[in-house]
């Protein structure tokens, strides 16, 4: 077991807070390499407690513990067994979903919910109850879990199954019931690692919602990139992408040779040379603050260069997960020495499209230059008391942290979301006001009660748990 001092457990893709940065106590990073070392680490967390984490790529402060311990679970990364006939896998929680997917595809299987973040671990996917572009058909990750082993605060390793209170507190529970050690879960059968992708343009939000609810064109994967700077009649316009795993028989001969390979993650490229008045970094990713005019131009280019309607495009699974619509994902606010970005993830309830329109309109009127705005459709809710997915519409935004008025804008969005029966995603949150939490998560008191009984000394704690009194 190794330990080190870390100022920030999340080293990459970390959302900046809307408040000015302040110096925070460092966290002690502990990497257990066995179950025995994990038990020792839990017993040695210290007075500020500890929180488990995966590869440290999550937004927000759910896996941070200033002044305490952070348990890096990636040292437990073995794939123990794959039931090729039954379609299940038993593996350690520290295995990344990308590595697991690459191992499963040649066997004719895929993880049930491939998230767009390729660094996500199995334990992280359960603790955040991760969702992907197929949430409306497959649900969230925890719905496919058959059993898991959980290390609780008293040093006991417990076998936990769905339908029990401990499972419902752990799924989406952000590590606050303890580190997940292993998990057994069901897989999705696939013939190839290639995706058949269809792309189309929607002229406004009403058109986009109508296309996304058209059952005749339903596909397992579906996501829409929205142009938040479009106004007037074009408000909410976007590029909608649908996809499914391609059957082997439908592939041309040249594609069958590599049909089971996950494929590399493609480099980011802008679709054409843009006159952006910005310093350009590696892979053509802008590093400076993006002006509204430049962002509007980029949104216009993305929309106009997308096909009006195209079907049958073949793309590797890795390429699809990195960018479902094939358009560049530019993150211009996180350059070194810059103001950073705030990741905002919310869902509004089914039938609350009026609230979604108000949110879109509010963002368009404020003119926030978000180069990442993705609309998705959620089906069945997650099984956990703090699971983010509920039936409805999800919206994922990256917004520049240093724009004036961003804090009040996001507070207003929070209130709109709560009133519409929706939720803000806790796994990526840095700023939600605690008083809104009960309206968003009605089983919050059940979670708090179970956690108090399971962990009366407060061994497992995070910055998010302190901020929201979880």
């Amino acid at each position: 077991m190794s330990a080190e001092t870390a100022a920030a457990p999340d080293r990459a893709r970390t959302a900046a807070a809307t408040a000015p940065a302040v110096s925070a106590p460092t966290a002690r990073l502990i990497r257990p390499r066995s179950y025995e070392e994990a038990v020792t680490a839990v017993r040695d967390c210290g007075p500020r407690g500890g929180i488990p984490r995966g590869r440290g790529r999550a937004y927000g402060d759910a896996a941070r513990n200033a002044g305490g311990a952070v348990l890096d679970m990636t040292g437990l990364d073995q794939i123990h067994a794959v039931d090729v006939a039954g379609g299940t896998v038993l593996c350690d929680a520290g295995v990344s979903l990308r590595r697991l997917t690459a191992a499963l595809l040649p066997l004719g299987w895929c993880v049930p919910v491939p998230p767009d973040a390729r660094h996500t671990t199995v334990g992280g996917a359960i603790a955040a109850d991760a969702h992907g572009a197929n949430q409306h058909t497959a649900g969230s990750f925890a719905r496919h879990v058959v059993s898991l082993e959980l290390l609780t605060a008293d040093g006991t390793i417990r076998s936990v199954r769905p339908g029990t209170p401990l499972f419902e507190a752990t799924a989406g529970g952000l590590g606050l019931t303890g580190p997940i050690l292993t998990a057994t879960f069901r897989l999705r059968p696939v013939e190839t690692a290639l995706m058949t992708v269809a792309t189309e343009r929607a002229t406004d939000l009403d058109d986009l919602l109508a296309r996304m609810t058209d059952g005749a064109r339903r596909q397992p994967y579906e996501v829409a990139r929205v142009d938040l700077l479009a106004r007037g009649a074009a408000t909410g316009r976007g590029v909608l992408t649908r996809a499914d795993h391609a059957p082997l028989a439908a592939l041309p001969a040249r594609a069958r040779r590599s049909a089971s390979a996950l494929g590399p993650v493609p480099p980011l490229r802008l679709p054409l040379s843009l006159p952006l008045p910005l310093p350009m970094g590696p892979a053509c990713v802008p590093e400076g603050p993006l002006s509204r005019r430049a962002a509007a131009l980029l949104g216009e280019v993305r929309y106009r260069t997308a096909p009006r309607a195209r079907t049958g495009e073949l793309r590797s699974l890795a390429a699809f997960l990195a960018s479902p619509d094939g358009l560049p994902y530019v993150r211009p606010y996180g350059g070194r020495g810059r103001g950073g970005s705030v990741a905002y993830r919310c869902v509004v309830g089914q039938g609350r499209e009026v609230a979604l329109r108000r949110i879109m309109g509010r963002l368009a009127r404020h003119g926030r230059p978000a180069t990442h705005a993705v609309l998705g459709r959620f089906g069945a809710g997650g099984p956990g008391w703090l699971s983010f997915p509920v039936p409805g519409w999800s919206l994922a935004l990256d917004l520049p942290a240093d724009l004036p008025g961003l804090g009040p804008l996001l507070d207003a969005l929070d209130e709109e979301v709560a009133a519409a029966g929706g939720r803000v995603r806790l796994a990526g949150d840095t700023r939600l006001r605690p008083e809104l939490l009960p309206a968003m998560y009605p089983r919050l008191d059940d979670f708090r009660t179970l956690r108090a009984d399971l962990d009366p000394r407060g061994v497992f704690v995070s910055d998010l748990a302190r901020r929201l009194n979880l």
Side-chain angles (χ1 to χ4, degrees):
M1 178 169 59
S2 62
E4 63 185 63
T5 299
D10 273 348
R11 293 185 175 93
R13 300 183 59 187
T14 301
T18 55
V22 295
S23 177
T26 57
R28 183 165 51 100
L29 193 63
I30 306 174
R31 293 190 179 97
R33 304 293 183 182
S34 66
Y35 296 173
E36 292 78 15
E37 289 189 358
V39 172
T40 300
V42 166
R43 290 173 176 166
D44 190 36
C45 281
R48 288 281 289 180
I51 190 70
R53 75 160 203 198
R55 294 177 64 89
R57 305 301 180 96
Y59 300 106
D61 54 9
R64 297 186 177 201
N65 184 24
V70 173
L71 309 180
D72 180 345
M73 303 304 295
T74 57
L76 302 175
D77 63 350
Q78 298 300 306
I79 302 173
H80 295 291
V82 179
D83 182 350
V84 177
T88 61
V89 62
L90 166 63
C91 65
D92 288 340
V95 177
S96 75
L97 292 187
R98 177 174 174 80
R99 177 181 155 223
L100 182 60
T101 301
L104 291 171
L105 287 172
L107 303 177
W109 297 96
C110 185
V111 295
V113 179
D116 58 0
R118 62 185 183 275
H119 298 289
T120 303
T121 61
V122 169
I126 298 171
D129 199 7
H131 63 276
N134 63 342
Q135 203 287 335
H136 64 292
T137 55
S140 55
F141 195 93
R143 283 193 166 273
H144 303 271
V145 174
V146 176
S147 65
L148 59 86
E149 287 184 309
L150 183 72
L151 175 56
T152 52
D154 59 1
T156 301
I157 298 176
R158 307 190 187 200
S159 179
V160 185
R161 293 186 176 275
T164 63
L166 186 52
F167 183 90
E168 291 166 353
T170 300
L174 306 171
L176 294 172
T177 58
I180 299 168
L181 300 178
T182 68
T184 301
F185 53 94
R186 294 180 293 273
L187 304 171
R188 174 188 174 90
V190 297
E191 291 187 30
T192 74
L194 293 174
M195 307 294 287
T196 303
V197 182
T199 308
E200 57 191 282
R201 280 191 280 176
T203 57
D204 57 29
L205 184 58
D206 287 339
D207 184 29
L208 183 58
L209 297 181
R211 291 170 186 265
M212 295 180 76
T213 53
D214 184 354
R217 295 187 290 178
R218 180 170 173 163
Q219 292 289 328
Y221 297 84
E222 181 181 84
V223 67
R225 192 193 297 253
V226 182
D227 181 3
L228 279 185
L229 292 183
R231 294 184 176 185
T235 298
R237 72 179 181 182
V239 178
L240 174 61
T241 306
R242 294 186 175 94
D244 196 359
H245 295 271
L248 186 63
L251 300 182
R254 66 181 182 278
R256 297 183 187 184
R257 292 190 293 270
S258 59
S260 63
L262 176 60
V265 177
L268 297 178
R269 292 289 185 266
L270 294 177
L272 47 81
S273 178
L274 293 177
L276 299 180
L278 304 171
M280 302 298 286
C284 299
V285 181
E287 293 184 344
L290 195 64
S291 69
R292 188 191 189 283
R293 180 179 178 183
L297 176 60
L298 184 57
E300 186 72 23
V301 169
R302 279 181 173 150
Y303 183 76
R304 296 298 177 188
T305 56
R308 291 183 181 275
R310 179 176 63 196
T311 60
E313 179 191 4
L314 286 177
R315 203 179 303 162
S316 73
L317 178 59
F320 175 78
L321 294 177
S323 179
D325 54 12
L327 298 176
Y329 175 25
V330 179
R331 183 182 297 277
Y333 313 119
R336 189 169 298 175
R338 307 293 180 176
S341 64
V342 170
Y344 188 78
R345 309 289 186 259
C346 68
V347 57
V348 298
Q350 190 71 40
R352 304 296 184 94
E353 288 79 8
V354 172
L356 182 64
R357 292 185 180 92
R358 284 199 296 265
I359 290 171
M360 292 279 196
R362 187 189 293 268
L363 289 164
R365 288 192 301 274
H366 276 77
R368 303 296 171 183
T371 59
H372 179 65
V374 173
L375 181 69
R377 187 158 54 102
F378 279 179
W385 293 337
L386 297 186
S387 291
F388 170 62
V390 293
W393 300 96
S394 69
L395 186 61
L397 309 172
D398 281 359
L399 298 163
D402 55 0
L403 285 182
L406 180 59
L409 170 64
L410 294 182
D411 286 343
L413 294 187
D414 291 342
E415 294 172 2
E416 189 90 55
V417 168
R423 297 173 176 178
V424 168
R425 186 171 183 255
L426 298 182
D429 178 59
T430 58
R431 33 146 311 277
L432 181 67
R433 303 200 310 274
E435 60 268 24
L436 292 177
L437 201 59
M440 295 181 178
Y441 292 91
R443 300 297 300 271
L444 177 63
D445 285 343
D446 293 327
F447 179 81
R448 286 170 170 163
T449 299
L450 184 142
R451 185 169 173 242
D453 292 340
L454 187 68
D455 184 9
R457 295 185 295 115
V459 172
F460 300 119
V461 65
S462 64
D463 290 350
L464 179 137
R466 292 188 185 95
R467 177 168 54 84
L468 296 179
N469 189 27
L470 294 176

